[in-house]
Amino acid sequence: MAGKLAGKVAIVTASTDGIGFAIARRLAQDGAKVMVSSRKQNNVDNAVKALKQENLNVEGLVCHVAKKEDRSKLFNETVKKFGGIDVLVSNAASSTYFGPTLNTPEDSYDKMFDLNVKSSFMLCKEVVPEMEKRGSGSMILVSSIAAYTPMSMIGIYSLTKTALLGLNKVLAPELAAHNIRINCIAPGIIKTKFSNALTQNEDALNVALSTIPLGRLGTPEECSGAASFLASDDSAYMTGETIVVSGGMTGRL
Ligand code: NAP
């Protein structure tokens, strides 16, 4: 398929729904071969079926990003099916506690850091040898506007997203030595299952909308163009940066 990602192979984690699904679809529409994944086989099957019906070049498999053996399988199967790996989009995250930050249970804190930060780091670290074989690569971390301005009631989740901005900065110079770039996307409030709790409560929604200059929530598709740009050679001279996709919500540390 022609397109700015023609010839590239991309992995997108947590890509059977929401932002990850929209990114997987967009990368494939722009010509990449894409490996779709998430924890549940039936979600993988449905996502792959939907994308194949659009004549997109995708395969899928189960990968819980916190499981080392799942990550290995994800890389091995992608290489087996598509011949290598050029692009990694680390998109999986969870928010396991809602309430005052000081009341966050220790196991929730650990789970969020394990999934949102450690798994992203492990994916980046473990994919390097495959990108080195291709001579270059592009990694994209999905952070959040909450990385810049922590959201009340999801304080530790916000902190994990700030940590990803740090990870981006820490890894950029080291990866550059391998001709691999890394950048972040920081979505604002995007209509997905993840943001349902906020968007289904009218009062909370109105408060949120009052902070968004464009006056509306974003869609997963509106995050996908930024991912395609960062995956492509159009961003060849960008590394260690973050693109904020937030309808104007302030992104600044
Ligand atoms: P979503 O619509 O709820 O989609 C979640 C996806 O993640 C599903 O495909 C799910 O499939 C998969 N998943 C969940 N846990 C996983 C795990 N441990 N390993 C692999 N896959 C997993 O979520 P979303 O809103 O698109 O969020 C995607 C990313 O954007 C997250 O990093 C989130 O922090 C970030 N973000 C979202 C918003 C927003 O407003 N929505 C704003 C800023 C940033 P399975 O159930 O099959 O695993």
Side-chain angles (χ1 to χ4, degrees):
M1 183 182 277
K4 69 176 181 218
L5 299 178
K8 294 200 191 284
V9 176
I11 287 175
V12 186
T13 67
S15 49
T16 59
D17 204 351
I19 294 169
F21 180 77
I23 291 175
R25 171 192 261 150
R26 177 60 186 267
L27 299 188
Q29 285 170 341
D30 287 343
K33 297 170 200 156
V34 180
M35 184 59 85
V36 166
S37 66
S38 76
R39 292 167 304 178
K40 297 179 195 126
Q41 185 69 55
N42 66 318
N43 289 344
V44 172
D45 293 344
N46 290 338
V48 168
K49 191 171 161 207
L51 295 173
K52 283 196 170 180
Q53 273 169 358
E54 297 178 18
N55 285 324
L56 298 173
N57 195 347
V58 302
E59 297 291 340
L61 90 170
V62 164
C63 174
H64 185 318
V65 294
K67 294 185 180 167
K68 186 175 173 48
E69 60 279 14
D70 280 15
R71 295 194 302 267
S72 299
K73 216 167 93 191
L74 179 64
F75 297 142
N76 293 339
E77 283 300 305
T78 305
V79 172
K80 212 158 98 187
K81 293 251 160 66
F82 292 139
I85 304 169
D86 304 287
V87 176
L88 166 71
V89 182
S90 178
N91 171 64
S94 77
S95 180
T96 58
Y97 169 74
F98 186 84
T101 304
L102 287 172
N103 292 347
T104 309
E106 186 174 349
D107 63 340
S108 262
Y109 179 101
D110 287 344
K111 200 167 171 210
M112 285 187 270
F113 264 86
D114 264 6
L115 190 70
N116 304 1
V117 185
K118 184 179 167 191
S119 299
S120 282
F121 171 62
M122 297 312 293
L123 283 161
C124 293
K125 176 180 146 96
E126 290 160 3
V127 80
V128 167
E130 289 305 331
M131 290 186 171
E132 276 189 308
K133 284 182 203 159
R134 307 283 271 192
S136 66
S138 173
M139 300 181 186
I140 299 161
L141 306 175
V142 179
S143 177
S144 169
I145 194 70
Y148 293 100
T149 307
M151 292 189 177
S152 63
M153 313 306 267
I154 50 171
I156 298 303
Y157 165 81
S158 303
L159 178 58
T160 65
K161 294 295 180 177
T162 311
L164 289 180
L165 301 187
L167 184 63
N168 187 36
K169 289 290 178 198
V170 166
L171 291 183
E174 283 190 42
L175 290 170
H178 303 267
N179 201 29
I180 297 169
R181 300 182 295 109
I182 182 166
N183 293 284
C184 278
I185 297 171
I189 305 174
I190 309 298
K191 261 184 261 172
T192 67
K193 283 192 193 126
F194 188 83
S195 58
N196 264 351
L198 172 72
T199 55
Q200 286 178 351
N201 174 321
E202 206 181 317
D203 291 341
L205 178 60
N206 286 334
V207 171
L209 286 174
S210 72
T211 67
I212 306 172
L214 285 182
R216 63 174 179 83
L217 304 183
T219 65
E221 290 69 28
E222 288 173 317
C223 300
S224 65
S228 182
F229 167 67
L230 291 174
S232 78
D233 296 339
D234 284 349
S235 60
Y237 200 51
M238 281 179 67
T239 193
E241 288 304 327
T242 299
I243 299 181
V244 177
V245 186
S246 69
M249 288 172 86
T250 306
R252 194 177 291 265
L253 263 187

